[in-house]
Amino acid sequence: MREIGLIRHGAKFEGGKKRVPLEESGLTAEQQERWAEAVERLDIQNDPELSYDSVPQIEKLAARLNESLPERATVLFLSSDYPRTKLTADLLSSSLIGEVQKAGKDVGVGFVWEPKEEAAKPGSVSKLPQGTPEIMEAMKEVAERDYPDDESLKEYFISNDGSITHPKEDELVMKAVNEQISDKDSFIGKRVALLKEQVENLKAKFPSGDRPVYVYGIGHHGSLIALDVAYNGRDKYDSVDEIPKPLSLWKVNLEKI
């Protein structure tokens, strides 16, 4: 196994905005068809928690992934169990298939699968892209302390299950993480330790061979930050610009660790 990457899901809607019908999305007819097919394939019954604008950005990411891949490889995707991550993964994998076919590369694309009993284990690779649920509570504490009069933030935390965004979201993430990043017993510290275990499990499942394997997990703020802390030596975020944006790709060359 050559490389593992974590990708933050595509952009969410900002609080207060409503989704227009797919026909009014501004997407091309082909993009609309791919969106509709993916939503049906994934059996997403409620809002898919992803903005239509994410589709062309996902296509651009697929093109960049294709350019970085060798002529012969296997690419495996996995995602956390949220509509926004599953839809991002589906659209990205299908876009990548189109790109490698156009390039004439011998690249297989698929998804990592584990039996239910294996996937339920804390260190399972299925949970690799998971975020840190505790981060929302830590963000709320920061908001109550630093922005006690911001009514839009109060509404954000009252109504939000993570499916919408807010202009101050990255700032809250940065402050919450920085306050806990050096503590091995914090939610970030525990997530880092678990991620390292999951990566080792992945390496064992997909050993290096003559056909390199690349694994990309579609996850959340917390999963990308854990990867950054675990393998890039991150001990602080100095700017909101350093917080992973939608469709950010952070990766690690496993042959060098």
Side-chain angles (χ1 to χ4, degrees):
M1 183 173 161
R2 178 174 294 181
E3 182 178 278
I4 180 172
L6 288 175
I7 301 169
R8 191 184 172 198
H9 56 72
K12 302 178 289 186
F13 274 108
E14 190 173 324
K17 293 186 178 180
K18 294 184 178 180
R19 185 180 296 279
V20 300
L22 182 57
E23 296 75 17
E24 301 173 21
S25 63
L27 299 177
T28 66
E30 182 180 356
Q31 289 170 334
Q32 290 181 37
E33 182 177 5
R34 287 180 54 238
W35 174 285
E37 288 177 349
V39 168
E40 182 178 3
R41 180 165 50 247
L42 296 168
D43 193 27
I44 297 176
Q45 299 294 327
N46 299 315
D47 191 277
E49 305 172 355
L50 198 67
S51 71
Y52 293 128
D53 292 341
S54 295
V55 176
Q57 299 305 315
I58 288 171
E59 292 173 345
K60 290 178 182 178
L61 177 56
R64 294 199 300 272
L65 285 178
N66 173 59
E67 290 174 358
S68 70
L69 292 170
E71 290 297 316
R72 187 169 179 266
T74 297
V75 177
L76 299 174
F77 289 96
L78 65 163
S79 81
S80 63
D81 195 25
Y82 290 87
R84 57 188 176 275
T85 52
K86 291 193 291 185
L87 184 55
T88 299
D90 190 292
L91 292 170
L92 182 56
S93 62
S94 61
S95 294
L96 181 59
I97 290 171
E99 291 293 331
V100 298
Q101 287 177 342
K102 285 189 294 184
K105 291 183 175 181
D106 179 14
V107 175
V109 179
F111 279 79
V112 175
W113 179 87
E114 290 180 310
K116 287 184 178 180
E117 59 274 13
E118 188 70 22
K121 296 178 181 178
S124 75
V125 300
S126 297
K127 289 185 169 61
L128 180 76
Q130 70 184 3
T132 50
E134 301 91 343
I135 201 168
M136 186 64 76
E137 187 59 35
M139 290 165 60
K140 184 179 180 181
E141 291 176 3
V142 171
E144 291 173 345
R145 182 191 68 207
D146 294 355
Y147 308 103
D149 300 322
D150 191 325
E151 295 299 324
S152 66
L153 276 176
K154 292 178 182 178
E155 181 63 27
Y156 168 78
F157 286 108
I158 290 172
S159 62
N160 190 19
D161 58 358
S163 62
I164 60 173
T165 190
H166 185 280
K168 288 191 175 79
E169 186 176 72
D170 285 351
E171 183 178 351
L172 296 178
V173 170
M174 182 186 73
K175 290 183 175 182
V177 168
N178 278 346
E179 291 175 7
Q180 309 216 22
I181 200 169
S182 61
D183 183 359
K184 292 183 178 180
D185 293 323
S186 69
F187 68 84
I188 287 294
K190 292 176 180 177
R191 182 66 187 92
V192 168
L194 177 59
L195 183 137
K196 287 182 176 180
E197 178 184 347
Q198 291 164 328
V199 169
E200 290 304 310
N201 288 340
L202 262 177
K203 289 168 67 176
K205 285 179 179 290
F206 304 105
S208 298
D210 62 348
R211 188 181 183 93
V213 177
Y214 297 75
V215 175
Y216 298 109
I218 314 301
H220 310 264
H221 274 128
S223 53
L224 275 75
I225 288 171
L227 185 77
D228 200 20
V229 174
Y231 296 108
N232 294 331
R234 173 74 68 173
D235 59 7
K236 182 183 179 183
Y237 288 93
D238 296 310
S239 165
V240 294
D241 292 335
E242 297 176 336
I243 298 298
K245 302 297 184 287
L247 297 176
S248 296
L249 166 61
W250 292 1
K251 56 188 179 180
V252 174
N253 185 336
L254 296 179
E255 296 179 346
K256 293 183 178 181
I257 62 172

